[in-house]
Amino acid sequence: MAHETPETRPHRRPRPTRRGRLVLFTGAVLVLAVAAAVLVPLLTRGPGTEQPRSLVIPEGWRATQVYAAVDKALDQPAGTTAKAAATADLPLPAEAKGNPEGYLFPATYPVTSATTPKSLLRYMVDTAVERFGAEHITAGARRNDVTVYQTVTIAAIVQAEADTEADMGKVARVIHNRLDRGMPLQMDSTLNYAMNRSTLDTTTGDTKIDSPYNSYEHKGLPPTPIGNPGEQAMTAAISPTPGPWLYFVTVAPGDTRFTDDYAEQQRNVAEFNRNRRGAGEG
């Protein structure tokens, strides 16, 4: 959520729930719509070849979640994939400084006995580089006066903050509007990333933590993406919905309110708090 100033906001404040789509297992192959064109050719099998298993990486997962899933899928000791990421020489943009966060593309990946953590990580990054290097994304980044890497960072915040696809464009607009005005983003999703958690509630103390991902204390974008966004979030990041909004809060499931009026935002936050108390008492 994009918030009011620390001096006046409530002690506990809301953010939209983390977004994530699950997919259905159909037969032997599990395919996310966004990745079907990439992965179907690689899942084609000839006679006598090993039938691949499927590893699903949902939209919005952090690198730590991806590493744990790869370790499990490949039956490796915990931490193996994280170590591999540090030495895999992945084809990341220079801005990433070797950190693959944001470039572990969410999709369904084939896994066989020959798959290694390094080969799977490279497959994910290659897919992201190909998708994020598309002309409409590079053109959108130029239009917004940001780099593609910064666009991935914006998309990762959108992925974490937006309740629905329809809200993604508006959340992206709030981010761009705040950046354009030199306002701190004040996004709880960046605090959650810094604190390695996922929660609806953030305390005033949380907003004081010493971290470059604390978007209450530091203006501009965090130093890296805070997760791995899907194509819908990237589309929102390059083509945000037109609007003046500076604040938003999900007061109830399916009811996210956007405004450029601080007083209205305070009323919306108060309604959220009432809803949360009511749910706790129910």
Side-chain angles (χ1 to χ4, degrees), residues 7-80:
E7 292 76 16
T8 57
R9 63 175 173 265
H11 181 67
R12 301 180 72 82
R13 63 196 58 79
R15 58 172 286 279
T17 55
R18 185 183 179 87
R19 191 178 169 271
R21 287 188 300 124
L22 297 178
V23 292
L24 299 177
F25 197 94
T26 307
V29 180
L30 185 61
V31 179
L32 284 174
V34 296
V38 174
L39 299 171
V40 167
L42 296 176
L43 290 173
T44 302
R45 301 185 298 276
T49 60
E50 179 183 352
Q51 178 175 324
R53 292 165 286 123
S54 296
L55 172 62
V56 179
I57 304 300
E59 297 164 336
W61 265 16
R62 300 168 186 166
T64 52
Q65 294 172 291
V66 176
Y67 298 156
V70 172
D71 285 343
K72 184 176 180 180
L74 301 185
D75 196 25
Q76 296 290 320
T80 300

Side-chain angles (χ1 to χ4, degrees), residues 3 6 9-15 188 191-192 195 197 199-209 214 216-217:
H3 290 302
R9 63 175 173 265
H11 181 67
R12 301 180 72 82
R13 63 196 58 79
R15 58 172 286 279
D188 292 349
L191 290 180
N192 280 342
M195 301 175 77
R197 68 181 191 186
T199 181
L200 288 172
D201 299 302
T202 298
T203 68
T204 300
D206 292 340
T207 68
K208 305 298 183 183
I209 66 169
N214 183 351
Y216 288 85
E217 295 289 324

Side-chain angles (χ1 to χ4, degrees), residues 5-162:
T5 59
E7 292 76 16
T8 57
R9 63 175 173 265
H11 181 67
R12 301 180 72 82
R13 63 196 58 79
R15 58 172 286 279
T17 55
R18 185 183 179 87
R19 191 178 169 271
R21 287 188 300 124
L22 297 178
V23 292
L24 299 177
F25 197 94
T26 307
V29 180
L30 185 61
V31 179
L32 284 174
V34 296
V38 174
L39 299 171
V40 167
L42 296 176
L43 290 173
T44 302
R45 301 185 298 276
T49 60
E50 179 183 352
Q51 178 175 324
R53 292 165 286 123
S54 296
L55 172 62
V56 179
I57 304 300
E59 297 164 336
W61 265 16
R62 300 168 186 166
T64 52
Q65 294 172 291
V66 176
Y67 298 156
V70 172
D71 285 343
K72 184 176 180 180
L74 301 185
D75 196 25
Q76 296 290 320
T80 300
T81 303
K83 292 178 182 177
T87 60
D89 192 25
L90 300 171
L92 295 162
E95 289 172 275
K97 299 179 180 179
N99 184 347
E101 189 73 89
Y103 280 75
L104 302 174
F105 193 78
T108 299
Y109 293 92
V111 174
T112 70
S113 59
T115 303
T116 67
K118 284 187 178 182
S119 67
L120 193 49
L121 290 172
R122 177 171 286 274
Y123 188 5
M124 293 176 183
V125 173
D126 283 342
T127 304
V129 169
E130 177 184 353
R131 294 301 183 91
F132 298 161
E135 175 57 29
H136 73 286
I137 289 179
T138 57
R142 288 194 300 268
R143 184 172 62 249
N144 293 323
D145 197 27
V146 292
T147 66
V148 170
Y149 187 73
Q150 289 172 320
T151 300
V152 175
T153 301
I154 292 169
I157 297 173
V158 168
Q159 189 82 63
E161 292 280 356

Side-chain angles (χ1 to χ4, degrees), residues 197-237:
R197 68 181 191 186
S198 182
T199 181
L200 288 172
D201 299 302
T202 298
T203 68
T204 300
D206 292 340
T207 68
K208 305 298 183 183
I209 66 169
D210 182 16
S211 169
Y213 293 92
N214 183 351
S215 61
Y216 288 85
E217 295 289 324
H218 300 282
K219 293 182 179 180
L221 293 169
T224 72
I226 60 169
N228 294 280
E231 289 188 320
Q232 292 172 336
M234 283 294 289
T235 297

Side-chain angles (χ1 to χ4, degrees), residues 181-196:
R181 288 161 175 76
M183 299 173 65
L185 294 182
Q186 297 186 322
M187 297 283 176
D188 292 349
S189 56
T190 65
L191 290 180
N192 280 342
Y193 186 80
M195 301 175 77
N196 192 29

